[in-house]
mmCIF file of all heavy atoms in Angstrom:
data_model
loop_
_atom_site.group_PDB
_atom_site.id
_atom_site.type_symbol
_atom_site.label_atom_id
_atom_site.label_comp_id
_atom_site.label_asym_id
_atom_site.label_seq_id
_atom_site.Cartn_x
_atom_site.Cartn_y
_atom_site.Cartn_z
ATOM 1 N N VAL J 315 90.060 -38.979 -39.693
ATOM 2 C CA VAL J 315 89.003 -39.984 -39.851
ATOM 3 C C VAL J 315 88.344 -40.338 -38.522
ATOM 4 O O VAL J 315 87.383 -41.112 -38.497
ATOM 5 C CB VAL J 315 89.552 -41.268 -40.515
ATOM 6 C CG1 VAL J 315 90.105 -40.965 -41.895
ATOM 7 C CG2 VAL J 315 90.610 -41.936 -39.643
ATOM 8 N N SER J 316 88.844 -39.778 -37.425
ATOM 9 C CA SER J 316 88.267 -40.071 -36.112
ATOM 10 C C SER J 316 86.925 -39.370 -35.940
ATOM 11 O O SER J 316 86.697 -38.293 -36.501
ATOM 12 C CB SER J 316 89.220 -39.613 -34.999
ATOM 13 O OG SER J 316 90.433 -40.324 -35.031
ATOM 14 N N PRO J 317 86.018 -39.977 -35.157
ATOM 15 C CA PRO J 317 84.742 -39.303 -34.865
ATOM 16 C C PRO J 317 84.946 -38.197 -33.834
ATOM 17 O O PRO J 317 85.357 -38.461 -32.708
ATOM 18 C CB PRO J 317 83.876 -40.437 -34.298
ATOM 19 C CG PRO J 317 84.858 -41.390 -33.694
ATOM 20 C CD PRO J 317 86.103 -41.315 -34.537
ATOM 21 N N HIS J 318 84.655 -36.983 -34.195
ATOM 22 C CA HIS J 318 84.884 -35.834 -33.314
ATOM 23 C C HIS J 318 83.639 -35.582 -32.456
ATOM 24 O O HIS J 318 82.953 -34.560 -32.598
ATOM 25 C CB HIS J 318 85.249 -34.605 -34.138
ATOM 26 C CG HIS J 318 86.583 -34.718 -34.810
ATOM 27 N ND1 HIS J 318 87.704 -34.040 -34.366
ATOM 28 C CD2 HIS J 318 86.991 -35.452 -35.873
ATOM 29 C CE1 HIS J 318 88.742 -34.329 -35.141
ATOM 30 N NE2 HIS J 318 88.326 -35.196 -36.063
ATOM 31 N N TYR J 319 83.403 -36.518 -31.531
ATOM 32 C CA TYR J 319 82.239 -36.397 -30.668
ATOM 33 C C TYR J 319 82.363 -35.245 -29.670
ATOM 34 O O TYR J 319 81.361 -34.840 -29.072
ATOM 35 C CB TYR J 319 82.007 -37.709 -29.916
ATOM 36 C CG TYR J 319 81.507 -38.827 -30.796
ATOM 37 C CD1 TYR J 319 82.065 -40.102 -30.723
ATOM 38 C CD2 TYR J 319 80.469 -38.622 -31.701
ATOM 39 C CE1 TYR J 319 81.605 -41.131 -31.522
ATOM 40 C CE2 TYR J 319 80.007 -39.649 -32.505
ATOM 41 C CZ TYR J 319 80.574 -40.903 -32.421
ATOM 42 O OH TYR J 319 80.121 -41.920 -33.212
ATOM 43 N N HIS J 320 83.565 -34.738 -29.473
ATOM 44 C CA HIS J 320 83.732 -33.602 -28.577
ATOM 45 C C HIS J 320 82.971 -32.375 -29.074
ATOM 46 O O HIS J 320 82.630 -31.479 -28.290
ATOM 47 C CB HIS J 320 85.218 -33.268 -28.411
ATOM 48 C CG HIS J 320 85.905 -32.921 -29.701
ATOM 49 N ND1 HIS J 320 86.042 -31.620 -30.135
ATOM 50 C CD2 HIS J 320 86.488 -33.692 -30.658
ATOM 51 C CE1 HIS J 320 86.671 -31.609 -31.299
ATOM 52 N NE2 HIS J 320 86.963 -32.846 -31.636
ATOM 53 N N LEU J 321 82.676 -32.354 -30.358
ATOM 54 C CA LEU J 321 81.884 -31.248 -30.905
ATOM 55 C C LEU J 321 80.448 -31.270 -30.382
ATOM 56 O O LEU J 321 79.762 -30.248 -30.397
ATOM 57 C CB LEU J 321 81.879 -31.310 -32.433
ATOM 58 C CG LEU J 321 83.233 -31.165 -33.140
ATOM 59 C CD1 LEU J 321 83.072 -31.376 -34.641
ATOM 60 C CD2 LEU J 321 83.848 -29.803 -32.847
ATOM 61 N N ALA J 322 80.000 -32.453 -29.952
ATOM 62 C CA ALA J 322 78.630 -32.578 -29.444
ATOM 63 C C ALA J 322 78.521 -32.197 -27.979
ATOM 64 O O ALA J 322 77.402 -32.085 -27.455
ATOM 65 C CB ALA J 322 78.129 -34.015 -29.639
ATOM 66 N N ASP J 323 79.639 -32.020 -27.300
ATOM 67 C CA ASP J 323 79.623 -31.662 -25.879
ATOM 68 C C ASP J 323 79.679 -30.137 -25.748
ATOM 69 O O ASP J 323 80.744 -29.525 -25.859
ATOM 70 C CB ASP J 323 80.809 -32.309 -25.172
ATOM 71 C CG ASP J 323 80.765 -32.096 -23.666
ATOM 72 O OD1 ASP J 323 79.748 -31.558 -23.172
ATOM 73 O OD2 ASP J 323 81.728 -32.475 -22.986
ATOM 74 N N LEU J 324 78.536 -29.541 -25.504
ATOM 75 C CA LEU J 324 78.452 -28.084 -25.397
ATOM 76 C C LEU J 324 78.513 -27.600 -23.956
ATOM 77 O O LEU J 324 78.144 -26.454 -23.669
ATOM 78 C CB LEU J 324 77.148 -27.588 -26.043
ATOM 79 C CG LEU J 324 76.915 -27.989 -27.505
ATOM 80 C CD1 LEU J 324 75.689 -27.260 -28.063
ATOM 81 C CD2 LEU J 324 78.137 -27.703 -28.362
ATOM 82 N N THR J 325 79.000 -28.448 -23.049
ATOM 83 C CA THR J 325 79.094 -28.055 -21.645
ATOM 84 C C THR J 325 79.908 -26.775 -21.442
ATOM 85 O O THR J 325 79.490 -25.894 -20.671
ATOM 86 C CB THR J 325 79.706 -29.201 -20.810
ATOM 87 O OG1 THR J 325 78.953 -30.394 -21.030
ATOM 88 C CG2 THR J 325 79.663 -28.857 -19.329
ATOM 89 N N PRO J 326 81.078 -26.610 -22.112
ATOM 90 C CA PRO J 326 81.812 -25.350 -21.928
ATOM 91 C C PRO J 326 80.999 -24.126 -22.320
ATOM 92 O O PRO J 326 81.119 -23.066 -21.692
ATOM 93 C CB PRO J 326 83.038 -25.519 -22.836
ATOM 94 C CG PRO J 326 83.233 -26.997 -22.943
ATOM 95 C CD PRO J 326 81.850 -27.566 -22.931
ATOM 96 N N ARG J 327 80.162 -24.252 -23.341
ATOM 97 C CA ARG J 327 79.329 -23.114 -23.752
ATOM 98 C C ARG J 327 78.317 -22.756 -22.662
ATOM 99 O O ARG J 327 77.953 -21.588 -22.503
ATOM 100 C CB ARG J 327 78.601 -23.432 -25.052
ATOM 101 C CG ARG J 327 79.504 -23.397 -26.276
ATOM 102 C CD ARG J 327 78.709 -23.575 -27.560
ATOM 103 N NE ARG J 327 79.537 -23.290 -28.719
ATOM 104 C CZ ARG J 327 79.692 -22.087 -29.261
ATOM 105 N NH1 ARG J 327 79.033 -21.063 -28.763
ATOM 106 N NH2 ARG J 327 80.471 -21.909 -30.293
ATOM 107 N N LEU J 328 77.851 -23.766 -21.929
ATOM 108 C CA LEU J 328 76.906 -23.494 -20.851
ATOM 109 C C LEU J 328 77.615 -22.925 -19.632
ATOM 110 O O LEU J 328 77.130 -21.972 -19.006
ATOM 111 C CB LEU J 328 76.169 -24.789 -20.478
ATOM 112 C CG LEU J 328 75.240 -25.366 -21.550
ATOM 113 C CD1 LEU J 328 74.661 -26.697 -21.083
ATOM 114 C CD2 LEU J 328 74.117 -24.404 -21.886
ATOM 115 N N ILE J 329 78.768 -23.505 -19.286
ATOM 116 C CA ILE J 329 79.487 -23.053 -18.099
ATOM 117 C C ILE J 329 79.908 -21.586 -18.229
ATOM 118 O O ILE J 329 79.740 -20.785 -17.300
ATOM 119 C CB ILE J 329 80.720 -23.947 -17.848
ATOM 120 C CG1 ILE J 329 80.275 -25.376 -17.520
ATOM 121 C CG2 ILE J 329 81.571 -23.379 -16.717
ATOM 122 C CD1 ILE J 329 81.431 -26.348 -17.381
ATOM 123 N N PHE J 330 80.461 -21.245 -19.386
ATOM 124 C CA PHE J 330 80.981 -19.889 -19.592
ATOM 125 C C PHE J 330 79.991 -18.975 -20.309
ATOM 126 O O PHE J 330 80.340 -17.854 -20.688
ATOM 127 C CB PHE J 330 82.295 -19.953 -20.374
ATOM 128 C CG PHE J 330 83.362 -20.755 -19.689
ATOM 129 C CD1 PHE J 330 83.722 -22.005 -20.160
ATOM 130 C CD2 PHE J 330 83.975 -20.260 -18.554
ATOM 131 C CE1 PHE J 330 84.705 -22.751 -19.520
ATOM 132 C CE2 PHE J 330 84.956 -21.003 -17.912
ATOM 133 C CZ PHE J 330 85.324 -22.252 -18.385
ATOM 134 N N LYS J 331 78.745 -19.470 -20.512
ATOM 135 C CA LYS J 331 77.673 -18.683 -21.128
ATOM 136 C C LYS J 331 78.127 -18.054 -22.447
ATOM 137 O O LYS J 331 78.000 -16.849 -22.670
ATOM 138 C CB LYS J 331 77.172 -17.611 -20.158
ATOM 139 C CG LYS J 331 76.540 -18.188 -18.891
ATOM 140 C CD LYS J 331 75.987 -17.120 -17.982
ATOM 141 C CE LYS J 331 75.344 -17.733 -16.752
ATOM 142 N NZ LYS J 331 74.802 -16.712 -15.824
ATOM 143 N N MET J 332 78.657 -18.922 -23.314
ATOM 144 C CA MET J 332 79.186 -18.473 -24.604
ATOM 145 C C MET J 332 78.090 -18.329 -25.661
ATOM 146 O O MET J 332 78.349 -17.853 -26.761
ATOM 147 C CB MET J 332 80.249 -19.462 -25.094
ATOM 148 C CG MET J 332 81.441 -19.584 -24.163
ATOM 149 S SD MET J 332 82.472 -21.039 -24.508
ATOM 150 C CE MET J 332 82.934 -20.736 -26.210
ATOM 151 N N GLY J 333 76.884 -18.771 -25.335
ATOM 152 C CA GLY J 333 75.803 -18.683 -26.308
ATOM 153 C C GLY J 333 75.743 -19.910 -27.204
ATOM 154 O O GLY J 333 76.617 -20.771 -27.182
ATOM 155 N N HIS J 334 74.701 -19.987 -27.999
ATOM 156 C CA HIS J 334 74.521 -21.152 -28.861
ATOM 157 C C HIS J 334 75.479 -21.088 -30.054
ATOM 158 O O HIS J 334 76.037 -20.043 -30.380
ATOM 159 C CB HIS J 334 73.072 -21.231 -29.349
ATOM 160 C CG HIS J 334 72.654 -20.071 -30.211
ATOM 161 N ND1 HIS J 334 72.242 -18.865 -29.697
ATOM 162 C CD2 HIS J 334 72.601 -19.930 -31.563
ATOM 163 C CE1 HIS J 334 71.937 -18.040 -30.669
ATOM 164 N NE2 HIS J 334 72.158 -18.652 -31.820
ATOM 165 N N ILE J 335 75.630 -22.237 -30.707
ATOM 166 C CA ILE J 335 76.454 -22.305 -31.906
ATOM 167 C C ILE J 335 75.760 -21.535 -33.024
ATOM 168 O O ILE J 335 74.547 -21.681 -33.210
ATOM 169 C CB ILE J 335 76.660 -23.777 -32.332
ATOM 170 C CG1 ILE J 335 77.278 -24.588 -31.199
ATOM 171 C CG2 ILE J 335 77.530 -23.868 -33.588
ATOM 172 C CD1 ILE J 335 77.312 -26.076 -31.476
ATOM 173 N N PRO J 336 76.485 -20.696 -33.772
ATOM 174 C CA PRO J 336 75.852 -20.012 -34.915
ATOM 175 C C PRO J 336 75.188 -21.024 -35.846
ATOM 176 O O PRO J 336 75.734 -22.100 -36.106
ATOM 177 C CB PRO J 336 77.040 -19.309 -35.594
ATOM 178 C CG PRO J 336 78.033 -19.115 -34.506
ATOM 179 C CD PRO J 336 77.894 -20.311 -33.593
ATOM 180 N N TRP J 337 74.017 -20.686 -36.349
ATOM 181 C CA TRP J 337 73.214 -21.668 -37.073
ATOM 182 C C TRP J 337 73.884 -22.231 -38.316
ATOM 183 O O TRP J 337 73.756 -23.440 -38.582
ATOM 184 C CB TRP J 337 71.846 -21.056 -37.415
ATOM 185 C CG TRP J 337 71.022 -20.846 -36.179
ATOM 186 C CD1 TRP J 337 70.686 -19.664 -35.603
ATOM 187 C CD2 TRP J 337 70.475 -21.864 -35.334
ATOM 188 N NE1 TRP J 337 69.950 -19.871 -34.453
ATOM 189 C CE2 TRP J 337 69.807 -21.201 -34.266
ATOM 190 C CE3 TRP J 337 70.479 -23.256 -35.372
ATOM 191 C CZ2 TRP J 337 69.154 -21.902 -33.257
ATOM 192 C CZ3 TRP J 337 69.840 -23.952 -34.359
ATOM 193 C CH2 TRP J 337 69.184 -23.278 -33.324
ATOM 194 N N PRO J 338 74.620 -21.462 -39.120
ATOM 195 C CA PRO J 338 75.330 -22.095 -40.254
ATOM 196 C C PRO J 338 76.338 -23.140 -39.787
ATOM 197 O O PRO J 338 76.462 -24.212 -40.401
ATOM 198 C CB PRO J 338 76.021 -20.915 -40.940
ATOM 199 C CG PRO J 338 75.203 -19.723 -40.563
ATOM 200 C CD PRO J 338 74.749 -19.990 -39.171
ATOM 201 N N GLU J 339 77.043 -22.834 -38.695
ATOM 202 C CA GLU J 339 78.009 -23.789 -38.148
ATOM 203 C C GLU J 339 77.298 -25.002 -37.558
ATOM 204 O O GLU J 339 77.752 -26.148 -37.705
ATOM 205 C CB GLU J 339 78.859 -23.107 -37.079
ATOM 206 C CG GLU J 339 79.988 -23.964 -36.543
ATOM 207 C CD GLU J 339 80.836 -23.224 -35.516
ATOM 208 O OE1 GLU J 339 80.687 -21.984 -35.412
ATOM 209 O OE2 GLU J 339 81.633 -23.880 -34.829
ATOM 210 N N PHE J 340 76.166 -24.771 -36.884
ATOM 211 C CA PHE J 340 75.408 -25.876 -36.310
ATOM 212 C C PHE J 340 74.888 -26.813 -37.403
ATOM 213 O O PHE J 340 74.862 -28.038 -37.220
ATOM 214 C CB PHE J 340 74.238 -25.337 -35.485
ATOM 215 C CG PHE J 340 73.393 -26.415 -34.853
ATOM 216 C CD1 PHE J 340 73.880 -27.169 -33.804
ATOM 217 C CD2 PHE J 340 72.114 -26.669 -35.323
ATOM 218 C CE1 PHE J 340 73.110 -28.170 -33.222
ATOM 219 C CE2 PHE J 340 71.330 -27.661 -34.752
ATOM 220 C CZ PHE J 340 71.830 -28.408 -33.695
ATOM 221 N N ALA J 341 74.475 -26.244 -38.544
ATOM 222 C CA ALA J 341 74.014 -27.065 -39.668
ATOM 223 C C ALA J 341 75.133 -27.977 -40.162
ATOM 224 O O ALA J 341 74.895 -29.145 -40.509
ATOM 225 C CB ALA J 341 73.510 -26.184 -40.803
ATOM 226 N N LEU J 342 76.372 -27.474 -40.170
ATOM 227 C CA LEU J 342 77.519 -28.302 -40.559
ATOM 228 C C LEU J 342 77.743 -29.416 -39.537
ATOM 229 O O LEU J 342 78.078 -30.549 -39.917
ATOM 230 C CB LEU J 342 78.773 -27.438 -40.687
ATOM 231 C CG LEU J 342 78.788 -26.413 -41.827
ATOM 232 C CD1 LEU J 342 80.067 -25.580 -41.780
ATOM 233 C CD2 LEU J 342 78.661 -27.114 -43.178
ATOM 234 N N PHE J 343 77.565 -29.105 -38.262
ATOM 235 C CA PHE J 343 77.690 -30.127 -37.221
ATOM 236 C C PHE J 343 76.664 -31.239 -37.440
ATOM 237 O O PHE J 343 76.983 -32.428 -37.336
ATOM 238 C CB PHE J 343 77.478 -29.500 -35.836
ATOM 239 C CG PHE J 343 78.669 -28.765 -35.297
ATOM 240 C CD1 PHE J 343 79.689 -28.341 -36.127
ATOM 241 C CD2 PHE J 343 78.764 -28.476 -33.954
ATOM 242 C CE1 PHE J 343 80.788 -27.650 -35.642
ATOM 243 C CE2 PHE J 343 79.858 -27.798 -33.441
ATOM 244 C CZ PHE J 343 80.871 -27.376 -34.297
ATOM 245 N N VAL J 344 75.437 -30.845 -37.720
ATOM 246 C CA VAL J 344 74.373 -31.827 -37.934
ATOM 247 C C VAL J 344 74.682 -32.697 -39.147
ATOM 248 O O VAL J 344 74.497 -33.927 -39.111
ATOM 249 C CB VAL J 344 73.011 -31.119 -38.098
ATOM 250 C CG1 VAL J 344 71.934 -32.118 -38.535
ATOM 251 C CG2 VAL J 344 72.602 -30.435 -36.802
ATOM 252 N N CYS J 345 75.161 -32.084 -40.215
ATOM 253 C CA CYS J 345 75.525 -32.859 -41.411
ATOM 254 C C CYS J 345 76.657 -33.831 -41.104
ATOM 255 O O CYS J 345 76.646 -34.983 -41.562
ATOM 256 C CB CYS J 345 75.941 -31.912 -42.542
ATOM 257 S SG CYS J 345 74.586 -30.954 -43.241
ATOM 258 N N TYR J 346 77.637 -33.381 -40.313
ATOM 259 C CA TYR J 346 78.770 -34.238 -39.957
ATOM 260 C C TYR J 346 78.305 -35.446 -39.148
ATOM 261 O O TYR J 346 78.669 -36.594 -39.447
ATOM 262 C CB TYR J 346 79.796 -33.427 -39.169
ATOM 263 C CG TYR J 346 80.934 -34.249 -38.617
ATOM 264 C CD1 TYR J 346 81.932 -34.739 -39.455
ATOM 265 C CD2 TYR J 346 81.009 -34.545 -37.250
ATOM 266 C CE1 TYR J 346 82.980 -35.503 -38.947
ATOM 267 C CE2 TYR J 346 82.050 -35.297 -36.747
ATOM 268 C CZ TYR J 346 83.028 -35.774 -37.599
ATOM 269 O OH TYR J 346 84.058 -36.538 -37.092
ATOM 270 N N PHE J 347 77.495 -35.209 -38.132
ATOM 271 C CA PHE J 347 77.021 -36.322 -37.300
ATOM 272 C C PHE J 347 76.019 -37.196 -38.041
ATOM 273 O O PHE J 347 75.909 -38.394 -37.754
ATOM 274 C CB PHE J 347 76.417 -35.788 -36.005
ATOM 275 C CG PHE J 347 77.445 -35.314 -35.012
ATOM 276 C CD1 PHE J 347 77.585 -33.965 -34.735
ATOM 277 C CD2 PHE J 347 78.282 -36.202 -34.384
ATOM 278 C CE1 PHE J 347 78.536 -33.525 -33.836
ATOM 279 C CE2 PHE J 347 79.246 -35.779 -33.486
ATOM 280 C CZ PHE J 347 79.377 -34.431 -33.210
ATOM 281 N N THR J 348 75.302 -36.627 -38.992
ATOM 282 C CA THR J 348 74.415 -37.444 -39.825
ATOM 283 C C THR J 348 75.222 -38.398 -40.699
ATOM 284 O O THR J 348 74.841 -39.556 -40.897
ATOM 285 C CB THR J 348 73.531 -36.547 -40.700
ATOM 286 O OG1 THR J 348 72.746 -35.679 -39.868
ATOM 287 C CG2 THR J 348 72.590 -37.374 -41.563
ATOM 288 N N ALA J 349 76.353 -37.916 -41.214
ATOM 289 C CA ALA J 349 77.229 -38.785 -42.009
ATOM 290 C C ALA J 349 77.764 -39.932 -41.161
ATOM 291 O O ALA J 349 77.816 -41.096 -41.622
ATOM 292 C CB ALA J 349 78.383 -37.967 -42.591
ATOM 293 N N ILE J 350 78.153 -39.638 -39.909
ATOM 294 C CA ILE J 350 78.602 -40.698 -39.004
ATOM 295 C C ILE J 350 77.460 -41.676 -38.731
ATOM 296 O O ILE J 350 77.667 -42.901 -38.675
ATOM 297 C CB ILE J 350 79.127 -40.102 -37.686
ATOM 298 C CG1 ILE J 350 80.373 -39.264 -37.940
ATOM 299 C CG2 ILE J 350 79.428 -41.204 -36.672
ATOM 300 C CD1 ILE J 350 80.938 -38.609 -36.692
ATOM 301 N N THR J 351 76.251 -41.152 -38.594
ATOM 302 C CA THR J 351 75.079 -41.999 -38.367
ATOM 303 C C THR J 351 74.881 -42.975 -39.515
ATOM 304 O O THR J 351 74.577 -44.161 -39.296
ATOM 305 C CB THR J 351 73.822 -41.129 -38.194
ATOM 306 O OG1 THR J 351 73.985 -40.278 -37.057
ATOM 307 C CG2 THR J 351 72.584 -41.989 -38.007
ATOM 308 N N VAL J 352 75.045 -42.499 -40.736
ATOM 309 C CA VAL J 352 74.892 -43.361 -41.902
ATOM 310 C C VAL J 352 75.930 -44.485 -41.884
ATOM 311 O O VAL J 352 75.616 -45.652 -42.130
ATOM 312 C CB VAL J 352 75.003 -42.538 -43.206
ATOM 313 C CG1 VAL J 352 75.041 -43.460 -44.422
ATOM 314 C CG2 VAL J 352 73.842 -41.554 -43.320
ATOM 315 N N VAL J 353 77.173 -44.133 -41.554
ATOM 316 C CA VAL J 353 78.244 -45.136 -41.518
ATOM 317 C C VAL J 353 77.987 -46.174 -40.417
ATOM 318 O O VAL J 353 78.041 -47.383 -40.668
ATOM 319 C CB VAL J 353 79.611 -44.459 -41.312
ATOM 320 C CG1 VAL J 353 80.706 -45.507 -41.106
ATOM 321 C CG2 VAL J 353 79.953 -43.571 -42.499
ATOM 322 N N LEU J 354 77.705 -45.698 -39.209
ATOM 323 C CA LEU J 354 77.475 -46.621 -38.099
ATOM 324 C C LEU J 354 76.189 -47.421 -38.286
ATOM 325 O O LEU J 354 76.138 -48.613 -37.964
ATOM 326 C CB LEU J 354 77.417 -45.847 -36.774
ATOM 327 C CG LEU J 354 78.701 -45.142 -36.334
ATOM 328 C CD1 LEU J 354 78.518 -44.518 -34.954
ATOM 329 C CD2 LEU J 354 79.882 -46.092 -36.326
ATOM 330 N N GLY J 355 75.150 -46.762 -38.802
ATOM 331 C CA GLY J 355 73.895 -47.471 -39.039
ATOM 332 C C GLY J 355 74.039 -48.558 -40.079
ATOM 333 O O GLY J 355 73.501 -49.669 -39.921
ATOM 334 N N SER J 356 74.766 -48.278 -41.150
ATOM 335 C CA SER J 356 75.000 -49.286 -42.186
ATOM 336 C C SER J 356 75.806 -50.459 -41.634
ATOM 337 O O SER J 356 75.501 -51.623 -41.896
ATOM 338 C CB SER J 356 75.735 -48.662 -43.374
ATOM 339 O OG SER J 356 74.987 -47.599 -43.936
ATOM 340 N N SER J 357 76.829 -50.135 -40.835
ATOM 341 C CA SER J 357 77.646 -51.195 -40.230
ATOM 342 C C SER J 357 76.812 -52.046 -39.281
ATOM 343 O O SER J 357 76.938 -53.282 -39.263
ATOM 344 C CB SER J 357 78.828 -50.575 -39.470
ATOM 345 O OG SER J 357 79.634 -49.792 -40.324
ATOM 346 N N ALA J 358 75.952 -51.389 -38.491
ATOM 347 C CA ALA J 358 75.133 -52.124 -37.526
ATOM 348 C C ALA J 358 74.167 -53.077 -38.214
ATOM 349 O O ALA J 358 74.014 -54.232 -37.796
ATOM 350 C CB ALA J 358 74.360 -51.139 -36.651
ATOM 351 N N THR J 359 73.514 -52.621 -39.262
ATOM 352 C CA THR J 359 72.545 -53.478 -39.956
ATOM 353 C C THR J 359 73.224 -54.627 -40.690
ATOM 354 O O THR J 359 72.656 -55.724 -40.804
ATOM 355 C CB THR J 359 71.718 -52.646 -40.945
ATOM 356 O OG1 THR J 359 72.587 -51.916 -41.818
ATOM 357 C CG2 THR J 359 70.831 -51.654 -40.210
#
Side-chain angles (χ1 to χ4, degrees):
V315 299
S316 296
H318 292 255
Y319 289 134
H320 60 94
L321 298 175
D323 186 7
L324 304 188
T325 306
R327 286 186 169 272
L328 294 176
I329 295 175
F330 301 107
K331 297 183 179 179
M332 299 165 59
H334 63 278
I335 303 171
W337 291 110
E339 186 178 347
F340 180 71
L342 293 177
F343 281 19
V344 171
C345 290
Y346 174 73
F347 285 110
T348 301
I350 295 179
T351 299
V352 172
V353 173
L354 295 185
S356 301
S357 301
T359 53

